[in-house]
Amino acid sequence: MAEPEQLVVEAERQAAAAATLDELRAVRVAVSGKRSPLADARKALGGLEPEARRAAGQALNAAMASIDEILTAREAELAAVARAEQLAAERLDLTEVAEHPAHGHLHVVTQTWQELEDVFVGMGYRVAEGPEIESEWYNFGALNFPPGHPARDMYDTLYVDYGEPGTTLLRTHTSPVQARVMEGQAPPVYVVAPGRCFRQDTADATHMPVFHQIEGLVVDRGISLGDLAGTIEAFTAAYFGPGFSSRLRPSYFPFTEPSAEFDIQRPDGTWLELGGCGMVHPKVFEACGIDPEQWQGFAFGFGIDRLALIRFGIDDLRELWTNDVRFLGQF
Ligand code: FA5
């Protein structure tokens, strides 16, 4: 039968030799488990005389307490080592500088917007802007949409709960900026006005309830439809380059006469409606205090988001709103 002191010495040796918490758990079983020499010694107590049993029992209890202390102390040591190793393995060096740091960039619609401004500024235009929350007058009235005129139904307008019902709205197009510019400045006028527009349209591959247009307005002497067609063509060539072409189709807008819709043909042969255009209607000139006998002009307005689709070969407008960096990072 092993002496209690020997059991303690043996436990100390094995505990020191255990290099991991798992190994230490095995040591604990070996030195104090059910089949350990300690357990055997306890069982043997039953065969002793009461006097001797008491003394031996006390010695064993003391040994057991020492063994437990030794194991617990070693466990704390090994746990600290394991924690330090884990920290070292998971450490992130936040001061490390990547060789090619990843930079963000402007959204594809913002890039398109800015490139369009550049093209038109290069053609001698100035950039103008107007409010997104607009009055009924600038969005419709000044643009020769009489009250109750069916042409107003062409736009599924979102009205704002402000003032008299029906007087304040989210602009459905950038054309109200035409009226604001003509009111504020004497001709000649060469402006483009990019901005956000709103319609109660259901989202699909070519429509969003929030989208962007860029408006163009020219007012000068002797301006003809030929100038309009030439400007659209010059723009298409400057912006898209070879492989793309444009066409005008007769259309109707209350604020232009004659009016046309223009489409862009992609290199794969498909057409996409890009915008509307026409000669500024005399009624619009009159509403803005410009004499239509002396001044002529043309206007156009087209979708910036749709232009981005054509330019970058994207097939669905909704992709532009997903905010998925894997998609946006491609442009
Ligand atoms: C207009 O908004 C006229 N103001 C354009 C105009 C300006 C005509 C100046 C004459 C003179 P239209 O509703 O067709 O027209 O819209 C013009 C373009 O805006 C469309 O061709 C399309 O490119 C874009 N657009 C219109 N609705 C949406 C929408 N829901 N989502 C994305 N793009 C749209």
Side-chain angles (χ1 to χ4, degrees), residues 155 172-175 178 199 201 206-213 215-216 253 255-256 260-261 273-278 299-303 305-306 317:
Y155 306 98
T172 57
H173 51 179
T174 43
S175 298
Q178 286 186 36
R199 292 184 196 175
D201 282 344
T206 54
H207 294 84
M208 288 300 291
V210 181
F211 58 99
H212 303 84
Q213 285 187 345
E215 192 80 9
F253 297 100
F255 40 99
T256 46
E261 212 114 31
E273 179 204 302
L274 195 59
C277 59
F300 55 84
F302 54 82
D305 319 71
R306 286 205 195 163
L317 260 192

Side-chain angles (χ1 to χ4, degrees), residues 115-116 119 232-246 264-267 307 310-312:
E115 278 177 37
L116 287 169
V119 168
I232 301 268
E233 198 50 47
F235 157 76
T236 308
Y239 187 75
F240 290 105
F244 292 86
S245 56
S246 62
I264 300 286
Q265 189 176 34
R266 298 180 262 216
L307 198 91
I310 301 172
R311 177 66 188 273
F312 294 100

